[in-house]
Amino acid sequence: MQKVSCDILVIGGGPAGGVSAVTAKMNYPQKEVLVVREFKKQLVPCAIPYIFGDTLGCSDKDVASCGSAVDMGISTIIGKIEDIDFDNKVALTQQESISFDKLIFATGSKPFVHNSLRHSLVLEGVFTVDKNKEHIDKSKAYIEDKENIVVVGTGFIGIEMAMELASSGKKITVIGGSEHILKGAFDSEIAAQAEEILLEAKVEFIGSDRVIEIIDKNGDNIVNAVQLKSGKVVDAEVVILATGYKPNTELAQKVGISLGHYGGIWVDEYMRTENHDVFAVGDCSARRAFITKVPSKVMLASTSASEGRVAGSSLYGLEYIKGFSGTIAIFSTMIGKTAFSSAGVTEDEASEAGMDVVVGTFSGMNRHPATIPGAQKQFVKIVATRHGGQIIGGQIVGGNETGEMINIIGLMIENSQSVYNVMSMQVATQPMLTAAPTNYPIVMASIMAMKQIEKQGG
Ligand SMILES: Cc1cc2nc3c(=O)[nH]c(=O)nc-3n(C[C@H](O)[C@H](O)[C@H](O)COP(=O)(O)OP(=O)(O)OC[C@H]3O[C@@H](n4cnc5c(N)ncnc54)[C@H](O)[C@@H]3O)c2cc1C
């Protein structure tokens, strides 16, 4: 057993582990930072769907990275931490005994498959979307010459997978379990716009029905259909289960770390576990929602990276007294040539949480004048509290700029901005780059929300 020593040990080299290590090194340059991660080639998880289709438009779809941590003086060991002795501050892989002072769990998440379908994972042709290159390469090779594919799950990963596979000419059926796709992130009228794009791409969407069985009719352990709750049977040569992820807390549980809601590692706002020398960040940690403060199942690289920055700044004292105040579930997805992005709570979610809200919407164009070649429609929806007009959510549909515009709304949510502040917000505009200053959609949607407050008596 080789003895290794470091000051800060990070377990996991995904977005949370990577950002924690880099932030720790930036804050404590004199400390030895060591990342132990399982795989030499670390997939960029958000790019996995693009391995399966034609969107990248190139044959080299190696969306793995080996990391640039080494340039910063961060050490890496490829291996798996299998045990930890907290009394002696030693972590063990099969080959190394690693002594540490501070420890960060960034062990991520694994695909979640409902109990009723779990036994079908042994069938040939049934795949989850693992963040593991070997697994992804194997499923891609299997799918290559198959035509008829069922994707179970209508979250953004299921939809991105479906669209990518459809782009290479396969027959795709997405089966949901909810009336609309992208539930939780978009209100139904916006999800309906995304569903139209699915239809145009010839992706069949079966909403309010669910897969209750994955079948090998011939009893040869090769999948050939799925059985739905309604009794309908849908043929399938391949079934992709995009049914969510669960925190990977195998190691944490083994070494007695306390868990919180939804099976994630319990942490405070500085990402500390009960032992203040031990932190947890990313998908393996228990999260709550920024606005409603309820436990959250959201698993996003955006949230994970923020948590990594907080942990990496709080290892030897609280450097920045802000902490992590919950996930705003900010993300974007591309469906066909249209971008959909969301942050905070939706109108539906707000009403389910018993919040009294108003909404403002605005449809415009992303260039001015709208006759500029390539100009695309842009739609913004703002959700705000009726009392005070605090912005608590936003959804945008439009061109590529949507991916950055949502970050403006995200910052507004995190900083408790109100629609009254946004009404007079100054925006940089340019005909070739943005919407018109006279009609900037985030500002206009905020004004519409203000008008709703006035109309209904805020
Ligand atoms: C297909 C797909 C698309 C996605 N798209 C987006 C997107 O567009 N935007 C977005 O914000 N999010 C997206 N996500 C979600 C995002 O990828 C996750 O939230 C993010 O990867 C979580 O980061 P993490 O570092 O916490 O965990 P992970 O990425 O799961 O990384 C954890 C790492 O820890 C390693 N590990 C675990 N246990 C040990 C151990 N004992 N010893 C050593 N190493 C260990 C694992 O091997 C793994 O590499 C997507 C996810 C998927 C699957």
Side-chain angles (χ1 to χ4, degrees):
M1 182 77 58
Q2 194 195 340
K3 288 202 174 201
V4 179
S5 163
C6 67
D7 298 306
I8 301 161
L9 173 60
V10 181
I11 311 177
V19 173
S20 302
V22 166
T23 311
K25 194 68 191 171
M26 287 168 79
N27 280 298
Y28 315 106
Q30 73 287 6
K31 302 285 183 193
E32 281 294 324
V33 180
L34 171 65
V35 177
V36 177
R37 59 175 216 231
E38 279 183 285
F39 307 111
K40 189 163 194 299
K41 278 211 164 186
Q42 191 77 35
L43 272 180
V44 174
C46 310
I48 290 172
Y50 302 103
I51 296 174
F52 290 86
D54 279 346
T55 300
L56 291 186
C58 59
S59 55
D60 179 10
K61 291 179 194 156
D62 187 2
V63 295
S65 70
C66 298
S68 57
V70 83
D71 304 338
M72 290 187 70
I74 296 170
S75 315
T76 302
I77 288 180
I78 307 301
K80 184 174 181 183
I81 300 288
E82 299 195 333
D83 210 350
I84 302 166
D85 170 355
F86 288 111
D87 293 334
N88 294 305
K89 290 194 164 178
V90 170
L92 300 173
T93 68
Q94 281 194 346
Q95 278 91 34
E96 292 96 1
S97 160
I98 306 167
S99 66
F100 62 85
D101 182 26
K102 306 282 179 184
L103 178 70
I104 304 179
F105 277 86
T107 51
S109 56
K110 293 200 156 167
F112 167 81
V113 178
H114 194 270
N115 270 340
S116 59
L117 301 180
R118 214 166 285 161
H119 62 277
S120 307
L121 286 171
V122 296
L123 295 183
E124 203 175 293
V126 178
F127 298 101
T128 49
V129 188
D130 286 39
K131 292 172 274 184
N132 167 332
K133 188 159 188 331
E134 207 180 304
H135 177 96
I136 292 293
D137 287 348
K138 201 172 128 200
S139 39
K140 180 178 159 53
Y142 187 89
I143 291 168
E144 208 100 84
D145 63 341
K146 307 293 183 298
E147 285 307 316
N148 204 0
I149 296 169
V150 163
V151 177
V152 187
T154 54
F156 74 95
I157 294 175
I159 299 305
E160 286 178 4
M161 288 293 294
M163 287 298 287
E164 276 308 296
L165 289 162
S167 76
S168 49
K170 299 186 189 297
K171 177 180 180 306
I172 313 294
T173 309
V174 181
I175 303 174
S178 61
E179 191 188 344
H180 290 289
I181 66 171
L182 304 172
K183 193 171 184 286
F186 294 96
D187 286 313
S188 47
E189 78 280 8
I190 297 177
Q193 293 180 42
E195 285 155 22
E196 275 173 31
I197 303 174
L198 286 195
L199 284 182
E200 281 162 22
K202 303 204 167 31
V203 172
E204 192 183 346
F205 166 54
I206 302 178
S208 301
D209 207 341
R210 56 191 318 121
V211 174
I212 55 163
E213 186 77 59
I214 300 174
I215 313 169
D216 64 324
K217 287 183 199 156
N218 309 323
D220 54 4
N221 280 331
I222 302 175
V223 70
N224 45 32
V226 294
Q227 162 90 56
L228 307 191
K229 191 163 181 237
S230 61
K232 192 173 174 187
V233 171
V234 179
D235 289 340
E237 293 171 274
V238 172
V239 174
I240 295 175
L241 294 168
T243 46
Y245 291 79
K246 60 177 183 195
N248 175 13
T249 55
E250 210 177 297
L251 173 65
Q253 287 187 74
K254 179 176 170 185
V255 298
I257 298 279
S258 297
L259 301 187
H261 35 252
Y262 298 133
I265 297 172
W266 183 90
V267 283
D268 66 14
E269 294 208 348
Y270 292 97
M271 312 315 293
R272 299 175 296 196
T273 66
E274 286 164 325
N275 175 344
H276 281 195
D277 286 335
V278 180
F279 293 68
V281 291
D283 285 0
C284 69
S285 64
R287 288 172 166 147
R288 63 195 170 108
F290 182 84
I291 295 291
T292 59
K293 304 299 178 200
V294 296
S296 168
K297 287 186 179 174
V298 160
M299 292 202 184
L300 287 168
S302 52
T303 302
S304 302
S306 305
E307 292 166 340
R309 283 187 196 104
V310 171
S313 313
S314 311
L315 293 162
Y316 293 92
L318 306 181
E319 303 275 327
Y320 306 108
I321 311 297
K322 177 175 180 279
F324 188 76
S325 313
T327 175
I328 60 166
I330 188 163
F331 87 105
S332 301
T333 185
M334 197 77 193
I335 306 181
K337 291 191 176 5
T338 307
F340 291 77
S341 51
S342 167
V345 293
T346 61
E347 186 182 359
D348 291 346
E349 198 183 350
S351 71
E352 276 161 31
M355 301 182 82
D356 191 3
V357 297
V358 292
V359 301
T361 62
F362 186 79
S363 286
M365 295 300 285
N366 66 355
R367 301 284 179 269
H368 59 288
T371 46
I372 283 188
Q376 207 170 337
K377 275 189 192 157
Q378 212 175 50
F379 170 84
V380 173
K381 177 172 183 172
I382 293 284
V383 182
T385 57
R386 182 191 307 278
H387 302 289
Q390 185 182 332
I391 295 172
I392 58 170
Q395 295 156 66
I396 310 182
V397 184
N400 290 355
E401 68 287 341
T402 300
E404 290 299 345
M405 282 172 69
I406 197 66
N407 293 329
I408 302 175
I409 295 181
L411 197 60
M412 288 169 175
I413 297 170
E414 285 202 72
N415 288 292
S416 311
Q417 294 288 306
S418 78
V419 287
Y420 301 102
N421 304 132
V422 177
M423 182 266 290
S424 57
M425 174 183 150
Q426 302 174 44
V427 284
T429 57
Q430 204 275 344
M432 301 298 287
L433 300 174
T434 68
T438 46
N439 270 332
Y440 194 72
I442 294 178
V443 174
M444 295 309 290
S446 298
I447 292 172
M448 295 304 167
M450 263 171 56
K451 294 292 159 207
Q452 287 302 312
I453 296 173
E454 285 162 16
K455 199 158 107 191
Q456 297 161 11

